[in-house]
Amino acid sequence: MYRILIIEDDDKIAAILKRNLEKYNYEVIRGEKFDQVKQEVIEHEPHLVLLDINLPHFDGYYWCRQIRTVSNVPIIFVSARTSNMEQVMAIENGGDDFITKPFDLDVVQAKIKGTLRRVYGEYAPAQAAEQESDEDKLQLHYKGLQLDRGRNVLSWKDHRTELTKNESLLLQRLLSTPGIIVSREELLELLWDDVQFVDDNTLSVNVGRVRKKLEELGITNAVDTIRGQGYRFVQEWEGTQS
């Protein structure tokens, strides 16, 4: 399930977007900290961000630039500003697309679907028919568990689930040395270049999400927390699905 973060200070518009997107089985989170938008992105790790321009504290252009220092997540501006120059600025500040208010919900859906398909789906660069040998290099295997690092897809037996970029990076690091403790400091630096903005609990939240994705495949108790040290991918996990 794709996760979409809405940064919109108009309660009515945010509610309309959230309700409509959830009808199409997206997980939707509305950002509430308009002075900490970058932190909201780090914490929630969305697959896509809908970003208004007119926001309290700083405008959407500022926050788009801030997000780009930590994430390549697709960003679609949704704004009442309709001039060509506003749309040019949106793209030049790191946005991927622009939707004007009042918007048509079908257009919003189509643009979101198209963007997700281009970034994560069949049109994603990693899926653009690279040489088979290159494809193989992107696969990480461990006891039947397969992580496709190009597509950020985790598979086990007949089941598969999609990961965010950080979930994939986290699992790659743990899976590369099963049974070995990986420190919290190493994982923080691996996932975020600028750790000064990252709350320590954010790593715990990400590890929790990885565990949940493993559980979706039927794998439980595969990631140990080693108090005061870090995390370890266990060499023998519990599987429940056949």
Side-chain angles (χ1 to χ4, degrees), residues 33 35-43 63 66-67 69-70 194 197:
K33 303 172 186 174
D35 60 340
Q36 299 179 47
V37 172
K38 179 178 176 179
Q39 185 64 29
E40 293 263 28
V41 172
I42 291 173
E43 289 179 1
W63 287 118
Q66 290 296 305
I67 292 169
T69 64
V70 295
D194 193 350
F197 293 102

Side-chain angles (χ1 to χ4, degrees), residues 45-82:
E45 285 194 43
H47 294 91
L48 184 144
V49 175
L50 294 179
L51 180 62
D52 191 12
I53 295 176
N54 296 322
L55 294 170
H57 307 290
F58 298 99
D59 64 24
Y61 301 138
Y62 170 84
W63 287 118
C64 189
R65 294 194 301 274
Q66 290 296 305
I67 292 169
R68 284 290 173 253
T69 64
V70 295
S71 174
N72 290 322
V73 62
I75 298 173
I76 298 178
F77 279 89
V78 181
S79 176
R81 301 187 187 183
T82 58

Side-chain angles (χ1 to χ4, degrees), residues 176-190:
S176 65
T177 55
I180 304 298
I181 299 171
V182 183
S183 71
R184 294 180 64 88
E185 291 75 16
E186 179 182 342
L187 294 174
L188 281 166
E189 291 181 2
L190 172 67

Side-chain angles (χ1 to χ4, degrees), residues 30-138:
R30 184 186 175 193
E32 298 177 345
K33 303 172 186 174
F34 296 112
D35 60 340
Q36 299 179 47
V37 172
K38 179 178 176 179
Q39 185 64 29
E40 293 263 28
V41 172
I42 291 173
E43 289 179 1
H44 297 299
E45 285 194 43
H47 294 91
L48 184 144
V49 175
L50 294 179
L51 180 62
D52 191 12
I53 295 176
N54 296 322
L55 294 170
H57 307 290
F58 298 99
D59 64 24
Y61 301 138
Y62 170 84
W63 287 118
C64 189
R65 294 194 301 274
Q66 290 296 305
I67 292 169
R68 284 290 173 253
T69 64
V70 295
S71 174
N72 290 322
V73 62
I75 298 173
I76 298 178
F77 279 89
V78 181
S79 176
R81 301 187 187 183
T82 58
S83 73
N84 290 338
M85 183 52 65
E86 298 288 355
Q87 299 190 36
V88 169
M89 288 179 62
I91 302 302
E92 290 190 341
N93 278 278
D96 295 276
D97 207 337
F98 196 101
I99 297 171
T100 58
K101 300 174 184 174
F103 48 74
D104 182 298
L105 287 171
D106 289 336
V107 172
V108 175
Q109 282 289 348
K111 292 211 171 192
I112 289 174
K113 184 177 179 181
T115 301
L116 291 173
R117 185 173 54 199
R118 175 176 54 78
V119 177
Y120 306 107
E122 63 263 37
Y123 301 149
Q127 296 181 328
E130 297 287 344
Q131 294 292 328
E132 185 174 352
S133 58
D134 291 335
E135 292 273 341
D136 291 341
K137 293 177 184 176
L138 296 174

Side-chain angles (χ1 to χ4, degrees), residues 106-171:
D106 289 336
V107 172
V108 175
Q109 282 289 348
K111 292 211 171 192
I112 289 174
K113 184 177 179 181
T115 301
L116 291 173
R117 185 173 54 199
R118 175 176 54 78
V119 177
Y120 306 107
E122 63 263 37
Y123 301 149
Q127 296 181 328
E130 297 287 344
Q131 294 292 328
E132 185 174 352
S133 58
D134 291 335
E135 292 273 341
D136 291 341
K137 293 177 184 176
L138 296 174
Q139 308 300 316
L140 184 61
H141 300 268
Y142 184 68
K143 294 187 175 180
L145 186 63
Q146 178 178 327
L147 175 60
D148 185 330
R149 293 178 288 184
R151 299 175 176 83
N152 293 336
V153 172
L154 184 66
S155 306
W156 191 56
K157 297 185 177 178
D158 295 329
H159 307 279
R160 55 180 282 164
T161 186
E162 295 174 347
L163 306 176
T164 66
K165 177 184 175 183
N166 277 2
E167 290 166 357
S168 180
L169 287 172
L170 183 57
L171 196 52

